[in-house]
Amino acid sequence: MAPWPKDGVRSGGVLLRTWRPEDVDSRLVLDSDPEVFRWSPVARVPDLAFVAERTQRAVREAAAGTPSSFAVVDAADPTRLLGSVDWRNGYPTPPFSVIDVGYGVAAAARGRGVGSTALRLLTEWLLSPDGGDVHRVQLDHAVANVASCRTALRAGFEVEGRRPCYLPLRESPSAPVIRHMVCLHGRVRAGEGDAGEGDAEAGAQEG
C-alpha cells in the first residue's frame, strides 16, 4: 500500500484529508447527527471523550503513515467538515485483497453528491496499483437506508445481494438494538472479473 498523498485527494469542491486534532468539535456534531447515528453500528452514544479518542487515534495512524479514516472537507475551506469516510478492516489480509468502506455526510452537505464523491475518491485510490493496490472494495448498508444505496450506486458500486439479520442499529440513543437486513455492494479493479464464473456455470450445466 502506497503512502496516502500528503495533500489528500480531491474532486471539484470535495477534499479527503487526514484528521486533525482541531476537528474534534465538528466531528462530534457529525457523529451525533440523528441520521448518522441511526445508520451507524456504533458501540456507544457519541460524546466528546469518545469522539476525541477516535480522532486522536486517527491522527496517530496518519502520523505513522497508516491512515484508515479521513475527513471529507470543503476543498476551498479545509476546516469545514462535510463528512467522513474510512476503511474498516485495516490492511487486506493476503490473499483476499479486500477492503470494507463506510461513510457519513453532515446534514448541511446532503443532497449535493458529497458522499458519492468522497466514496469514489477513496475507492479509486484503494483500487489503484499506485495507491491502496487492493483488488476489491465493498460496503453494506441497511436496506431501509435508501439514500446510502443511491450514494453507493453513484460511486460505481454494484448491488451484489442481501444479508438478513446482519447490522445492529438503534434509531435513537434510547431505542432498542434491531438487527437489519443489509444490501451488499462491491467494486473491483478495472479489467478484472470473476475468473471462475464460466467454469462454475459449465459445472452447473454438467451437473
Side-chain angles (χ1 to χ4, degrees):
M1 183 171 284
W4 178 256
K6 181 180 178 181
D7 297 326
V9 294
R10 71 181 65 203
S11 177
V14 175
L15 168 67
L16 267 59
R17 63 160 172 82
T18 53
W19 291 100
R20 301 170 180 171
E22 59 267 29
D23 292 325
V24 171
D25 289 341
S26 296
R27 192 174 188 183
L28 177 59
V29 173
L30 172 66
D31 290 353
S32 301
D33 180 274
E35 279 299 293
V36 173
F37 180 86
R38 179 185 180 189
W39 303 116
S40 300
V42 293
R44 57 179 279 189
V45 176
D47 57 24
L48 184 60
F50 178 59
V51 174
E53 192 280 329
R54 291 181 66 206
T55 304
Q56 291 163 5
R57 182 170 64 248
V59 170
R60 291 194 299 270
E61 290 175 348
T66 57
S68 61
S69 180
F70 304 91
V72 181
V73 299
D74 187 329
D77 180 8
T79 66
R80 184 183 174 208
L81 185 66
L82 305 178
S84 64
V85 65
D86 60 273
W87 66 73
R88 295 175 175 169
N89 59 340
Y91 297 104
T93 303
F96 292 99
S97 193
V98 174
I99 285 285
D100 287 276
V101 293
Y103 46 88
V105 179
R110 291 177 193 145
R112 296 161 35 194
V114 169
S116 57
T117 299
L119 180 59
R120 177 176 51 79
L121 283 170
L122 179 61
T123 300
E124 290 178 354
W125 186 85
L126 286 169
L127 291 173
S128 170
D130 298 322
D133 196 28
V134 299
H135 290 260
R136 172 179 168 83
V137 179
Q138 62 188 24
L139 65 90
D140 53 52
H141 61 81
V143 170
N145 190 353
V146 177
S148 190
C149 195
R150 289 197 297 263
T151 295
L153 291 170
R154 284 196 298 263
F157 283 77
E158 296 182 2
V159 174
E160 297 179 337
R162 293 187 174 187
R163 294 171 174 169
C165 195
Y166 184 80
L167 187 64
L169 300 174
R170 286 184 289 174
E171 289 196 5
S172 69
S174 60
V177 173
I178 298 176
R179 303 192 69 89
H180 284 246
M181 174 180 288
V182 300
C183 180
L184 177 64
H185 294 254
R187 276 191 62 176
V188 298
R189 189 180 294 182
E192 296 189 354
D194 289 327
E197 185 174 357
D199 295 339
E201 290 176 354
Q205 291 173 0
E206 291 171 3

